Amino acid sequence: MQKHITNKGKVLSAILVVAVVILLVELVVSNKNDEAMSSLHNKPLETLSVSFEPMVGFGESPLRHSIILKERADKEIARKQAVAKQNEVDQREKAIYLTFDDGPSAVTDQLIDILDAFQMKATFFMIGPNIKEHTKSVVRMKNEGFGLGLHGITHEAGKIYSSPSAPVDEMSEDRDILQNVSGVRSNLIRLPYGSIPYLTEEMRYLLDKGDFKVWDWNVDSRDWELKDRRYVQHTKQEIDRYMQAGVTPVVLLHDKPHTLEYLPELLSYIKKQGYRTKVLTNEQPPVTFQCEGRCNSIS
Amino acid sequence: MKRLVFLVMILGLFTFLSGCQSDHKQAAEIHEKMEESASFEEKFVANQKQLDDTRKRVQEIYQDVQSLDFNDIDAIKQRVGDHELSMEKQQLNEAEENFQTAYSKLMAIKENIELIQDEDQKKQTTKLVTLMNSRKKLMENFFDTYRNQLKSQSSFFEHLEQDKFELDKLEGEIDVINEDSLHMSEVVEQFNEITEQYNKVMIDYFKMADIS
């Protein structure tokens, strides 16, 4: 049996043949690509194994230490010049600076009463927790124009000198306490037991950066040691000695009952000599003991 | 009628097979472009290793200088890392150039992605582009931070060279250098995570496209 293919059928058959041919060609080409592809492999991207170490050790390095010493030496020259200038003014006025450490205390109001009675001024270097305990006395000091300074928080050598930043940390805390109580922001500080020997150059540098003025003294009343009338006698002699030498006395006293007991005698003498008491200010160049090789870390 | 059904089926098969063939062709081209991009990535990784070595040398110089007294000005001047820092700058530029080239080469696969018909394959390749863009963004951040750090390092050594021993400035520069180091470490960590994701997506894609 023979079947006739119509014209339409012929056209469709031709399309079919062409399609099959194209498909076969594509498959052949594809196979070739696959073969080529099989020789390739997908290499993953490498991750970065690099490190970024911080530049450590600068804080303790000899270079930094030597720079601190240089900066401190430069500042010391400037401080000495400023102190000398202030001293000239103070000498003309027969000025004397009375300073009381460790307060405020239960006897602070009595102390202020005594000073008031002699119409004299003084500067108080106060301990943070004591300020919180005797806020009224602190406000009275401020209202009556006494000098307000800082004496740290712990008053323990083992703590306040325990690390390079410990003094600045304690004084900063004390400064905040005083400011909260009195509204006065004081930069005047006195280190417990004085800045020699435990206040290292590094500590001085950090205090300086914190804008603190380290105040020591040149007349130690020794009230803390003698605890009786003898301290008055000793202080009178020292004041005279310094006055004669042309150096304005900065007298170390303490906010303690035994100091108060004989204080009128001392103040009476100061008045009789015609000396004028003044308060320390943030702007004043401080009288500070210099290390000169005598400072060492407590730890 | 039977003939017509048969013809439609054949044409359908033809169309299907042609589609497969087209995706396969795109995959082959993508593969080629990625390989090209990867060759620049390799150079970029090599640059990063060089930078790592140079950084270590700069660290040694820094440690040396730290151990000196500021009065030993001559010794300090001899040690400052001018040479190493300029080398680091050059290596950083090369690294950036290679990374940018790798990125541009990879981005050329976008035109192939448009022609992919299989939705899954399209999705995977689009992910590749997205991940590469994230890597680029991170690297740009890295290069900016690195340049900033080099500026601080140059300034640090310049101050020492010019006898400007101001502790505040020197310490400020060290702080910036260390902050930048920390930041770059974090950026590299993220970059590596994304690179791993990229590698995984790439493998998955080529498996899908039957090229592996």
Side-chain angles (χ1 to χ4, degrees), chain A:
Chain A
M1 255 175 52
Q2 204 173 7
K3 282 190 179 176
H4 290 282
I5 300 170
T6 61
N7 283 342
K8 197 178 166 189
K10 281 177 188 169
V11 171
L12 284 174
S13 300
I15 292 170
L16 190 61
V17 169
V18 170
V20 170
V21 169
I22 291 171
L23 192 60
L24 286 172
V25 170
E26 286 260 334
L27 283 171
V28 170
V29 170
S30 157
N31 278 341
K32 279 188 179 170
N33 277 345
D34 280 353
E35 278 165 23
M37 220 83 78
S38 66
S39 67
L40 298 173
H41 56 284
N42 306 311
K43 200 178 168 190
L45 299 184
E46 202 178 323
T47 53
L48 301 176
S49 55
V50 291
S51 63
F52 295 89
E53 297 298 325
M55 293 174 114
V56 288
F58 192 67
E60 305 288 326
S61 70
L63 176 65
R64 185 176 181 275
H65 187 66
S66 65
I67 296 171
I68 284 180
L69 289 181
K70 168 78 167 59
E71 277 191 17
R72 298 273 325 133
D74 291 346
K75 288 218 163 163
E76 181 52 15
I77 292 168
R79 187 194 66 83
K80 275 183 178 164
Q81 287 169 349
V83 166
K85 210 170 169 184
Q86 178 68 39
N87 193 58
E88 280 175 25
V89 176
D90 288 341
Q91 284 295 297
R92 281 198 294 274
E93 295 175 353
K94 287 187 85 175
I96 179 170
Y97 295 96
L98 301 178
T99 65
F100 290 89
D101 286 9
D102 300 351
S105 70
V107 297
T108 301
D109 278 325
Q110 288 176 53
L111 172 52
I112 297 173
D113 288 342
I114 295 169
L115 290 163
D116 283 349
F118 284 89
Q119 292 177 307
M120 288 188 181
K121 293 296 175 200
T123 302
F124 293 85
F125 288 101
M126 296 176 284
I127 298 169
N130 294 359
I131 295 174
K132 282 183 186 169
E133 207 178 323
H134 303 282
T135 54
K136 280 185 182 168
S137 300
V138 178
V139 173
R140 185 181 167 197
M141 283 174 200
K142 180 216 163 186
N143 290 340
E144 294 190 16
F146 288 94
L148 307 183
L150 313 166
H151 201 39
I153 300 293
T154 63
H155 207 276
E156 284 181 41
K159 287 184 180 166
I160 197 165
Y161 301 112
S162 62
S163 72
S165 64
V168 79
D169 290 345
E170 281 208 19
M171 293 303 175
S172 299
E173 192 182 337
D174 198 6
R175 177 160 64 185
D176 291 344
I177 293 170
L178 179 64
Q179 190 166 8
N180 285 339
V181 169
S182 68
V184 173
R185 185 172 171 82
S186 176
N187 293 335
L188 310 173
I189 64 167
R190 174 167 288 153
L191 274 302
Y193 318 106
S195 67
I196 295 284
Y198 298 131
L199 196 72
T200 62
E201 293 288 5
E202 173 78 24
M203 292 168 179
R204 287 164 196 259
Y205 169 77
L206 293 174
L207 285 168
D208 202 41
K209 271 176 83 176
D211 253 353
F212 290 109
K213 303 279 167 59
V214 180
W215 276 93
D216 284 305
W217 56 85
N218 47 30
V219 173
D220 179 357
S221 68
R222 291 172 63 200
D223 59 341
W224 53 276
E225 183 189 6
L226 301 169
K227 296 183 179 172
D228 57 25
R229 180 166 278 118
R230 285 176 298 164
Y231 96 77
V232 175
Q233 194 54 37
H234 167 74
T235 309
K236 284 187 321 195
Q237 286 170 1
E238 285 292 288
I239 289 171
D240 286 344
R241 192 164 71 86
Y242 273 87
M243 280 296 194
Q244 279 162 20
V247 178
T248 306
V250 178
V251 186
L252 168 70
L253 292 149
H254 291 85
D255 184 342
K256 301 281 181 192
H258 57 256
T259 302
L260 263 67
E261 204 179 332
Y262 305 100
L263 187 64
E265 192 183 327
L266 178 63
L267 300 188
S268 177
Y269 177 77
I270 290 170
K271 194 161 193 169
K272 200 174 153 195
Q273 296 300 311
Y275 300 145
R276 186 183 154 222
T277 54
K278 287 173 76 176
V279 296
L280 304 174
T281 65
N282 282 339
E283 293 71 34
Q284 209 167 329
V287 168
T288 316
F289 301 146
Q290 291 308 299
C291 278
E292 290 158 352
R294 294 174 295 168
C295 296
N296 58 278
S297 166
I298 199 166
S299 52

